[in-house]
Structure formats: C-alpha cells, structure tokens
Amino acid sequence: MSEAPRKSDQAFRTIGELAADLGVPQHILRYWETRFPQLRPLQRAGNRRYYRPADVALAHRIHRLLNEDGYTIRGVQQLLAGRSGDGEEAVAATGPTPANQQDDGFPNQDLLAIRRMLADALEATA
C-alpha cells in the first residue's frame, strides 16, 4: 500500500491533520483557540476548521512553548502579546521565565561554595 501524498507547506490543514502532526488531541487545538486570539482558523460550513500556514506555524510555536520550554498558558499568552507581566513591552532577547525554572535571585555559585566549605569542615572534625 502506498503512502498518501504529502501536502504542500502552503496548503490548508484540517484540525485532524494538525492534531496528528502535533501529536495532541483535537480538543486541545479547540481549547488553544479560546486562549490565544492569534490562532483563528477559517471555519466553513458545519464548523469545519481549516488552518492556514501561519496558523500551523503558530500552533507549532504554542506547542513547543508549552510542552518543551515549560511555559504556562498565561506565559505564552504574554509572550505572544509581546508584553511582560506588568504591561510593558517584553524584551525579546530574554522573554518570560518558563514556569519550571523560577529565578528566586539566589546565586547558585555562592551556595555551592558554602556547601563545599561545610563539607570540608565536617571532614576536619571527623
């Protein structure tokens, strides 16, 4: 049996095709449409969704930010809107901090030096 011909990168995608491409269920894409106003596929009769190439690229970016980079929905919303948490324009080079990497301002190198010093002190007393 032969494979189905691959669509052009400029072709519209159905929700099923995009969901299969991203590896997520279709209801996730419909949820993203409610959370990200930038993601607006064309809707034809019977509410059939057709994703333009720009929508496909945006869906891939949202998927990467959420599932690989660790951003929250709100973090991706702010990133796509181009602003930081306080309403100011975000600096593109730094962007928001992913949800799984909180910066509490504590210098890690200093902590490692303290840990080594304590370990040396324990060895000296033993």
Side-chain angles (χ1 to χ4, degrees):
M1 201 179 241
S2 66
E3 275 187 42
R6 182 160 161 29
K7 280 189 172 182
S8 163
D9 288 339
Q10 298 304 312
F12 285 28
R13 303 275 194 274
T14 64
I15 191 169
E17 291 169 337
L18 183 56
D21 189 29
L22 292 173
V24 298
Q26 294 178 15
H27 71 270
I28 298 294
L29 291 173
R30 288 190 290 272
Y31 173 73
W32 287 354
E33 290 173 24
T34 66
R35 295 293 173 226
F36 304 106
Q38 302 89 343
L39 186 62
R40 287 285 164 229
L42 295 175
Q43 290 191 349
R44 297 288 186 221
N47 279 343
R48 287 193 49 109
R49 289 167 168 80
Y50 291 98
Y51 291 86
R52 296 171 285 245
D55 295 323
V56 171
L58 179 60
H60 278 276
R61 182 175 182 206
I62 291 169
H63 182 265
R64 180 181 47 81
L65 289 168
L66 290 172
N67 298 308
E68 294 174 18
D69 295 344
Y71 283 85
T72 61
I73 292 285
R74 184 160 182 108
V76 175
Q77 288 171 335
Q78 290 176 354
L79 183 66
L80 293 178
R83 61 179 194 270
S84 63
D86 57 2
E88 305 249 340
E89 289 296 316
V91 178
T94 58
T97 303
N100 62 356
Q101 297 177 357
Q102 294 181 358
D103 180 21
D104 54 6
F106 228 79
N108 290 334
Q109 294 300 325
D110 292 342
L111 288 175
L112 291 173
I114 292 169
R115 178 184 250 177
R116 280 190 297 265
M117 184 177 66
L118 289 173
D120 292 342
L122 283 173
E123 278 184 23
T125 60

